[in-house]
Amino acid sequence: MKIIKMIVLLSAIGVLGVAGFIYSGLYPIGADVPHNAVTYWVLETLRERSIKRAASDINVPDLSDPELLLSGGPDYNEMCLECHLKPGKNKSDMSVGLYPSPPNLSQDGDGNDHNHDEHGDEKYTAQRQFWIIKHGIKASGMPAWGETHDDQRIWAMVAFLQKLPRLTPEQYQIITARSDGENNHSH
């Protein structure tokens, strides 16, 4: 019985301590101050485990269709470029000012020294990219494009992302240009 009282007391002290810390406003929340190592690890682990669980049942279509690449490129250029960059561009006002830094998707891996492709598992990489584009990521600046874009359009962006790290700046320019007949989608 004494052990139970001690556990309850320590738990109550812990909860009060955490609540006191939260309400104190001491934690630096500005995007120009990185998280401490423990907070960063907790948030990154939570994000990656959550995405892996949520994306695991997504069926990946054939992403090799050139039409997907050509329709996903202009959307990427209009919606993603300022944060996730393009070949030959290593930073923008948006990419520098966001924390956590958005990945540079024009580079292999994620451009932040992280590799989330599960040891070369292209299916998981596509599932992960689709889920992130569709649902976004809380408190990161990444919007949920699934609110305004259907799955076909999101898969087109995923198909484009599969090729993006291997594009030259010139190829990027050609693939991401909208033809005169295409209307500019509102975002």
Side-chain angles (χ1 to χ4, degrees):
M1 193 66 157
K2 197 173 197 177
I3 292 176
I4 292 174
K5 286 182 181 179
M6 183 61 77
I7 290 172
V8 169
L9 177 63
L10 290 175
S11 296
I13 291 170
V15 167
L16 289 173
V18 168
F21 177 73
I22 291 170
Y23 280 95
S24 74
L26 289 174
Y27 191 83
I29 202 69
D32 55 351
V33 178
H35 290 299
N36 64 56
V38 173
T39 302
Y40 184 82
W41 177 84
V42 167
L43 292 173
E44 176 141 314
T45 302
L46 174 65
R47 181 190 70 225
E48 292 308 314
R49 297 300 303 158
S50 178
I51 292 169
K52 186 173 185 171
R53 183 202 53 76
S56 67
D57 292 334
I58 295 173
N59 292 319
V60 179
D62 179 10
L63 299 176
S64 64
D65 180 357
E67 286 301 315
L68 282 176
L69 176 68
L70 293 174
S71 64
D75 277 348
Y76 178 90
N77 196 53
E78 292 171 4
M79 299 160 33
C80 312
L81 169 67
E82 283 306 309
C83 293
H84 297 292
L85 308 173
K86 66 180 181 177
K89 188 172 185 176
N90 293 319
K91 64 182 179 177
S92 70
D93 288 345
M94 287 293 289
S95 69
V96 171
L98 287 173
Y99 185 82
S101 298
N104 181 344
L105 298 178
S106 71
Q107 298 176 351
D108 283 326
D110 71 5
N112 286 334
D113 298 326
H114 302 119
N115 190 347
H116 303 292
D117 74 353
E118 296 292 302
H119 311 290
D121 185 346
E122 290 179 17
K123 178 183 174 192
Y124 173 69
T125 299
Q127 289 171 318
R128 180 180 189 279
Q129 289 171 336
F130 177 85
W131 191 91
I132 291 171
I133 294 167
K134 184 170 183 165
H135 300 285
I137 298 178
K138 293 177 183 177
S140 74
M142 178 62 197
W145 292 111
E147 297 290 322
T148 56
H149 297 72
D150 63 23
D151 286 359
Q152 179 67 17
R153 198 158 164 205
I154 294 171
W155 280 119
M157 284 189 275
V158 172
F160 177 77
L161 290 176
Q162 303 296 304
K163 303 290 186 208
L164 180 58
R166 294 178 292 291
L167 296 177
T168 66
E170 295 77 20
Q171 291 169 325
Y172 178 89
Q173 182 79 22
I174 292 166
I175 292 173
T176 60
R178 287 213 190 268
S179 65
D180 290 336
E182 274 185 287
N183 58 347
N184 203 356
H185 301 285
S186 61
H187 306 285

